[in-house]
Amino acid sequence: MHVKNLELKNYRNYSSLSLNLNKGLNIFVGENAQGKTNIVESIYYLSGVKSHRTSRDSELIKWDKDRAYIKADVVKAISDYTMEFLLSNEEKKAIKVNGIRINKISEVLGTVNVVIFSPEDLKLVKEGPAFRRKFIDNELNQIRPKYHHALLQYNRVLMQRNNLLKSIKFSPSNRITAEVFSEQLAEYGSFLCDARNEFIKKLSLIARLIHRKITNGKEELEIIYDCSIGKYKNKQETKKWLLKYYIEEMDTDIERGVTLKGPHRDDLIIKINGFDTKIYGSQGQQRTAALSLKLSEIEIIKSEVSEYPILILDDVMSELDLNRQKFLLESLKDVQTILTCTSLNDINAFHFDNKDVFIVKNGNISKLKDINNNEIYNS
């Protein structure tokens, strides 16, 4: 799949933009704060109906405007899609696919698949569990629309249960209501754990193979699902365990004022040659493991939807050494790639037959080959 055309109106620093994209490599070159990441952000928005930088749509709207508009023509193997998003400061966002109004975000998920790799993703190994849970959730939201619904419901019930836990000391009668929420939490939680377990099995297999190639067989990568309730068995057993915990250990949760067990406490353990990479891995090993995980995302989506997703590389190349850059670029021949960098010197190693280079300056975009003709895509 690939984005053929992107249109933006009053989006971030773009008043009006219509941009034709190459189905191969698209390189956006410019200094910081010129609008490069705004382009990739709008493309990422197509997949999850959200930004990877903020949870508030209002921040995507040009500062002096009330509305923003994103439109993209997407080419897929089985069909073409026109996706439209109208963002407003005053109303709920409006979504259309091929001119048909979509009322639920879950109905859009999976139409476009996007994998993004940014400097923040290099923290995937060495930072806290929240980074790794977000990595898992973002992937599953794209390939399992029911997962997105279950995750939303789980987080909603979790918040309600936590609020009740804090109130039970002063209102003991709320304990009965908390038990009702415990049943719902166990139901949604067991679904999430089951989906994560299946996903991590695939992730571990693919990432291991990719990591072997990057390290020329010198390192063995292992990805382990660190389920907060212990070793995962199956959905039914997980539901029983969660419900038993939520009921029998409620006093412990009341004392702490939070729910101590469940998918919101899950993590990944990432090992290289048997050692925990977060604790014992060098910075180079941690970055290689992160790269293996992100490239595994691409392959998992390919196995699920039978075509490659769109890949975004946002200012990440300068963070990788030449060996990792080479491996990454050689892996992208069949993938539409949107790449940002700060200097023309950064693109000398990109030997792609099918590529376009765009210069970004103050929200204006021009093709490198057309600079002398002053062909401006946006002004």
Side-chain angles (χ1 to χ4, degrees):
M1 70 184 69
H2 68 274
V3 176
K4 184 178 180 180
N5 178 268
L6 177 68
E7 182 179 338
L8 303 177
K9 292 182 180 178
N10 298 327
Y11 185 94
R12 294 282 193 180
N13 67 330
Y14 292 97
S15 297
S16 179
L17 170 69
S18 182
L19 186 65
N20 295 321
L21 294 172
N22 194 311
K23 67 179 182 179
L25 178 63
N26 299 269
I27 304 173
F28 291 85
V29 183
E31 297 179 358
N32 293 328
Q34 301 301 304
K36 304 189 307 296
T37 299
N38 295 341
I39 293 292
V40 301
E41 178 186 46
S42 67
I43 294 173
Y44 182 84
Y45 197 94
L46 305 176
S47 65
V49 197
K50 64 179 181 179
S51 163
H52 65 293
R53 295 191 288 173
T54 177
S55 60
R56 302 171 63 179
D57 281 351
S58 59
E59 295 181 18
L60 310 181
I61 301 172
K62 203 169 187 291
W63 70 271
D64 58 343
K65 302 296 182 181
D66 295 324
R67 294 184 174 189
Y69 177 70
I70 306 170
K71 180 181 178 182
D73 294 321
V74 181
V75 177
K76 297 182 69 175
I78 58 174
S79 183
D80 295 347
Y81 295 88
T82 297
M83 305 187 69
E84 299 174 86
F85 303 88
L86 181 63
L87 314 181
S88 173
N89 285 324
E90 301 174 351
E91 302 172 3
K92 184 180 178 181
K93 76 180 77 180
I95 305 171
K96 289 184 178 181
V97 177
N98 290 341
I100 300 173
R101 181 72 177 261
I102 304 297
N103 296 317
K104 295 181 179 180
I105 290 177
S106 60
E107 296 176 355
V108 182
L109 298 178
T111 305
V112 179
N113 302 113
V114 176
V115 171
I116 186 167
F117 191 22
S118 68
E120 184 179 70
D121 290 306
L122 294 171
K123 303 176 184 177
L124 193 57
V125 176
K126 64 182 180 180
E127 292 294 333
F131 275 83
R132 292 177 285 280
R133 285 195 298 272
K134 182 180 179 181
F135 165 75
I136 296 169
D137 291 340
N138 285 345
E139 176 70 17
L140 283 168
N141 283 340
Q142 290 196 61
I143 61 178
R144 296 278 189 275
K146 289 183 179 180
Y147 182 90
H148 175 262
H149 173 75
L151 182 62
L152 290 178
Q153 295 302 313
Y154 179 86
N155 289 333
R156 177 184 62 82
V157 175
L158 177 65
M159 182 176 66
Q160 291 172 323
R161 185 177 190 270
N162 285 344
N163 288 337
L164 283 169
L165 293 173
K166 294 179 178 70
S167 71
I168 288 174
K169 290 181 180 180
F170 310 101
S171 303
S173 61
N174 284 343
R175 189 182 187 102
I176 297 175
T177 308
E179 290 179 357
V180 174
F181 282 125
S182 296
E183 293 177 6
Q184 296 178 19
L185 205 60
E187 177 67 34
Y188 291 122
S190 61
F191 180 91
L192 297 180
C193 290
D194 189 64
R196 288 176 178 180
N197 181 66
E198 181 182 350
F199 168 72
I200 293 167
K201 282 183 179 179
K202 293 181 180 179
L203 178 72
S204 181
L205 177 61
I206 296 172
R208 183 186 297 121
L209 296 174
I210 291 174
H211 198 86
R212 283 177 185 168
K213 291 181 180 179
I214 299 176
T215 62
N216 295 317
K218 296 177 182 178
E219 294 181 355
E220 193 76 7
L221 181 68
E222 185 180 5
I223 311 295
I224 302 167
Y225 179 24
D226 186 14
C227 187
S228 74
I229 66 172
K231 187 174 181 180
Y232 183 83
K233 294 182 179 179
N234 55 56
K235 182 180 176 182
Q236 185 176 5
E237 289 298 318
T238 299
K239 182 179 178 180
K240 289 180 181 178
W241 192 100
L242 286 172
L243 185 56
K244 182 179 179 181
Y245 173 86
Y246 293 147
I247 300 300
E248 295 183 358
E249 302 296 327
M250 187 174 292
D251 287 336
T252 303
D253 286 353
I254 291 171
E255 185 64 29
R256 296 290 296 273
V258 293
T259 303
L260 295 174
K261 298 287 185 179
H264 61 290
R265 298 280 181 158
D266 284 353
D267 197 1
L268 290 177
I269 297 174
I270 302 169
K271 292 184 177 182
I272 293 178
N273 294 340
F275 293 97
D276 191 326
T277 311
K278 180 180 178 180
I279 301 173
Y280 301 105
S282 66
Q283 186 178 50
Q285 287 177 317
Q286 290 175 347
R287 292 189 170 201
T288 302
L291 177 58
S292 298
L293 288 171
K294 297 305 292 187
L295 289 175
S296 297
E297 273 193 88
I298 297 173
E299 294 301 329
I300 288 175
I301 290 177
K302 171 66 162 56
S303 70
E304 292 286 335
V305 304
S306 300
E307 57 185 319
Y308 283 109
I310 298 157
L311 175 65
I312 294 172
L313 301 174
D314 189 18
D315 277 337
V316 75
M317 298 304 289
S318 61
E319 303 288 337
L320 302 174
D321 61 26
L322 290 177
N323 179 56
R324 294 182 183 89
Q325 285 186 21
K326 181 180 179 182
F327 185 90
L328 177 59
L329 292 172
E330 288 178 349
S331 303
L332 305 180
K333 299 299 183 182
D334 299 316
V335 181
Q336 183 183 40
T337 303
I338 316 297
L339 185 152
T340 71
C341 55
T342 57
S343 170
L344 287 172
N345 294 329
D346 295 335
I347 66 174
N348 292 333
F350 303 152
H351 302 300
F352 274 61
D353 294 330
N354 193 18
K355 73 177 180 183
D356 283 326
V357 179
F358 302 90
I359 307 299
V360 184
K361 187 173 182 180
N362 294 326
N364 294 322
I365 300 179
S366 55
K367 265 190 180 181
L368 180 62
K369 63 183 180 181
D370 295 326
I371 284 179
N372 293 330
N373 297 327
N374 296 316
E375 180 176 343
I376 303 297
Y377 282 89
N378 178 65
S379 59

